[in-house]
Amino acid sequence: MTARAQIGVTGLAVMGRNLARNFARHGYTVAVHNRSFAKTQSLVDEAGSEGDFVPSESMADFVASLARPRKVVIMVKAGAATDAVIDELVPLLESGDIVVDAGNAHFPDTIRREEALAAKGLHFVGTGVSGGEEGALNGPSIMPGGTRESYESLGPILEAISAKVDGTPCCTYVGPNGAGHFVKMVHNGIEYADMQLIAEAYDLLKQGLGASAAEIGQIFAEWNTGDLESFLIEITADVLQHVDAATGSAFVDVVLDQAEQKGTGRWTVQNGLDLGVPITGIAEATFARALSGSVPQREAARAALRADATPLQVTDRAAFIEDVRQALYASKVVAYSQGFDQIAAASAEHGWDIDRGAMARIWRGGCIIRARFLNRITEAYERDQDLALLLADPYFTDAVGNGLAAWRRVVAQAATAGIPAPAFSSSLAYYDGVRADRLPAALIQAQRDFFGAHTYRRADREGTFHTEWSADRSEQEA
Ligand code: NBP
């Protein structure tokens, strides 16, 4: 076996197969391998003419077909399968070789694996890949972690196959060990928030205008020509205008209204709690999915809970549509701002030194949250790379501020009409909370000191204090 392949892919289900084809189409000689040979064979049979593939049935032959330092991309089911592949692969590798995990690993697993492989002299590159099967084939957004040294030889190959926006690759070095998978996790969390906000906008338009799915689809198509332009708005317009072949009804009206929240959304929220970062948009989106799937509770509530709501009375349809658009944009900025706060907090905690502007740049193409306004986020971090709050960047201060009245109207109307808009309303509550001069947290601190002697700090002088609540209520410095 000649060691001639420049890169290898093991795991040839939909993602790995398409990634391998993408490498080959860019002129790389690609070693391909899968646990069961049938997938390798079918790749070579069906796509072999697209480039130079070197198929192997055994892992040993696969490794032997790679030029050194070897670059092996693992694209298998995240979790135990990844560990199984690593265990089989590692004894066959040599110092300096690069193992890339391009699956959706949880970042603590990536930190663990990187440490273990580094101890053997190997580079382990936990890499976020977004864009689904279409992205994997035609250009995904790629978020590689690991050592900078590994990026020197691996980076150009990944950049070559990534999506390009204005000629710039949607791939850059993210940071050490788990940084790439962490950023991919937050990307997916933001995706949850974005989708929930779009769903709430759709529901408000539906109930406020009494419009058909197709009509609302046209509104989304119109929105996609402005600031909201994004992949998710584009596909929403498409989905809403799709007609179910079996019934002739709008497709969205025949789909069961129960969403799933499998992995990354939950991880993002759990991590937000660990770091103490209020990612309320992502959390509301994740819980909204959980609520939709709470079937017994929904049945019990439907029969028992009163609404006492006043249906929406929309007199000026155009004004209402514009209000919802502005509320959607403002809530979306909040969700992104929170996500970038989470990246900053994790970066500080783990010493990753993540460039947030660069993350927004590599999300502009290839990935699910690709959007016109990501340019604005990159620009904001270029103006101030230590920006404490994305919302406080002058562009976003204006963009959100100009839509504030509309945002408040929409949230108030939703509450009055009994239409659940958890992400719209909690994003507004976050906005008002983060800008408040003084928060009722003061009362919470007082309560905590009362029942648990948890102490408090004073606004008027330094120090930590406790009041003797059950005695003479004198104050002591703790
Ligand atoms: P799957 O997640 O469905 O995994 C199937 C692949 O894993 C097959 O190649 C299978 O081999 C292999 N595999 C399993 Br399962 N257990 C194994 C083991 N113990 N040892 C070796 N190989 C094993 O594939 P996918 O949908 O292509 O996704 C691949 C990765 O990409 C996942 O981590 C996923 O989360 C991530 N991802 C997916 C998307 C997407 O849109 N689908 C997007 C972004 C990221 P076999 O053929 O022999 O059974």
Side-chain angles (χ1 to χ4, degrees):
M1 176 81 57
T2 330
R4 64 185 188 89
Q6 292 153 294
I7 190 140
V9 179
T10 179
L12 301 173
V14 58
M15 290 295 288
R17 174 189 173 96
N18 281 357
L19 215 50
R21 289 173 63 194
N22 191 347
F23 285 124
R25 287 174 175 192
H26 280 85
Y28 295 103
T29 299
V30 192
V32 285
H33 170 265
N34 192 68
R35 177 178 60 175
S36 48
F37 188 62
K39 285 196 178 76
T40 314
Q41 189 64 57
S42 93
L43 166 61
V44 175
D45 289 348
E46 289 161 28
S49 61
E50 292 177 8
D52 188 12
F53 295 99
V54 185
S56 292
E57 197 157 354
S58 74
M59 188 68 98
D61 284 350
F62 170 67
V63 170
S65 70
L66 284 156
R68 293 184 62 195
R70 303 181 183 91
K71 300 173 193 71
V72 180
V73 177
I74 301 173
M75 203 35 148
V76 299
K77 197 174 169 63
T82 308
D83 282 317
V85 173
I86 291 172
D87 288 347
E88 197 183 347
L89 189 60
V90 162
L92 304 168
L93 298 177
E94 288 161 285
S95 183
D97 287 349
I98 302 170
V99 177
V100 182
D101 175 16
N104 259 342
H106 195 197
F107 78 92
D109 287 338
T110 305
I111 293 174
R112 167 179 61 79
R113 290 168 183 149
E114 200 273 340
E115 200 180 333
L117 266 65
K120 295 179 182 345
L122 301 172
H123 296 284
F124 184 74
V125 180
T127 300
V129 177
S130 177
E133 51 183 297
E134 206 274 334
L137 182 62
N138 296 317
S141 174
I142 309 181
M143 297 150 248
T147 57
R148 263 199 191 279
E149 191 192 339
S150 65
Y151 195 80
E152 277 167 27
S153 58
L154 181 70
I157 305 178
L158 297 182
E159 288 181 15
I161 65 147
S162 72
K164 312 284 180 309
V165 174
D166 304 331
T168 307
C170 292
C171 172
T172 192
Y173 176 66
V174 176
N177 56 60
H181 276 138
F182 182 87
V183 164
K184 170 70 188 338
M185 178 191 79
V186 175
H187 163 285
N188 284 26
I190 291 174
E191 177 185 310
Y192 270 53
D194 220 339
M195 292 169 73
Q196 174 65 21
L197 290 168
I198 289 172
E200 290 178 19
Y202 153 71
D203 201 16
L204 283 157
L205 292 173
K206 182 178 168 187
Q207 302 209 34
L209 304 175
S212 69
E215 287 166 332
I216 301 169
Q218 282 159 17
I219 294 170
F220 276 96
E222 171 64 29
W223 288 356
N224 201 40
T225 62
D227 288 341
L228 280 171
E229 183 191 322
S230 61
F231 172 70
L232 284 171
I233 295 280
E234 181 191 326
I235 65 162
T236 302
D238 204 352
V239 165
L240 287 174
Q241 294 179 78
H242 181 61
V243 174
D244 174 50
T247 60
S249 303
F251 174 74
V252 71
D253 292 336
V254 299
V255 175
L256 193 66
D257 61 344
Q258 294 166 21
E260 289 184 17
Q261 48 93 24
K262 281 187 282 190
T264 39
R266 187 172 62 225
W267 292 341
T268 315
V269 178
Q270 285 168 339
N271 175 262
L273 291 172
D274 289 345
L275 294 171
V277 178
I279 45 165
T280 56
I282 298 169
E284 288 295 353
T286 309
F287 285 129
R289 289 192 188 191
L291 187 152
S292 76
S294 302
V295 177
Q297 291 82 356
R298 289 179 65 190
E299 270 170 19
R302 204 176 286 135
L305 303 192
R306 290 166 44 174
D308 282 357
T310 310
L312 282 176
Q313 302 284 346
V314 174
T315 46
D316 185 338
R317 292 170 74 87
F320 179 72
I321 293 168
E322 178 57 12
D323 273 8
V324 174
R325 189 190 70 80
Q326 295 200 12
L328 173 56
Y329 187 75
S331 304
K332 180 172 161 137
V333 175
V334 166
Y336 280 69
S337 182
Q338 294 175 339
F340 280 96
D341 270 1
Q342 185 174 11
I343 290 175
S347 180
E349 167 127 341
H350 296 280
W352 286 334
D353 196 22
I354 297 175
D355 175 349
R356 288 170 294 173
M359 298 307 104
R361 189 165 56 242
I362 64 170
W363 289 347
R364 291 181 311 160
C367 67
I368 306 298
I369 64 171
R370 58 185 183 261
R372 179 197 284 199
F373 99 131
L374 286 161
N375 270 326
R376 302 296 191 179
I377 297 181
T378 302
E379 286 161 14
Y381 287 117
E382 275 167 4
R383 277 190 282 278
D384 177 2
Q385 64 169 356
D386 299 321
L387 189 62
L389 180 75
L390 184 62
L391 273 170
D393 170 77
Y395 174 81
F396 288 110
T397 310
D398 272 359
V400 173
N402 294 339
L404 196 50
W407 195 10
R408 292 196 191 288
R409 272 195 298 275
V410 168
V411 169
Q413 283 173 307
T416 308
I419 300 170
F424 271 25
S425 52
S426 84
S427 300
L428 181 56
Y430 172 88
Y431 179 90
D432 283 327
V434 78
R435 69 172 189 86
D437 277 341
R438 199 162 157 74
L439 289 168
L443 175 58
I444 290 166
Q445 287 302 80
Q447 291 167 329
R448 294 177 68 241
D449 191 58
F450 190 109
F451 66 68
H454 289 298
T455 73
Y456 52 90
R457 286 180 294 141
R458 296 182 59 103
D460 56 358
R461 61 192 138 94
E462 291 293 314
T464 305
F465 302 91
H466 168 61
T467 288
E468 295 293 343
W469 295 99
S470 52
D472 63 357
R473 303 208 164 183
S474 61
E475 181 177 78
Q476 274 142 40
E477 189 145 8

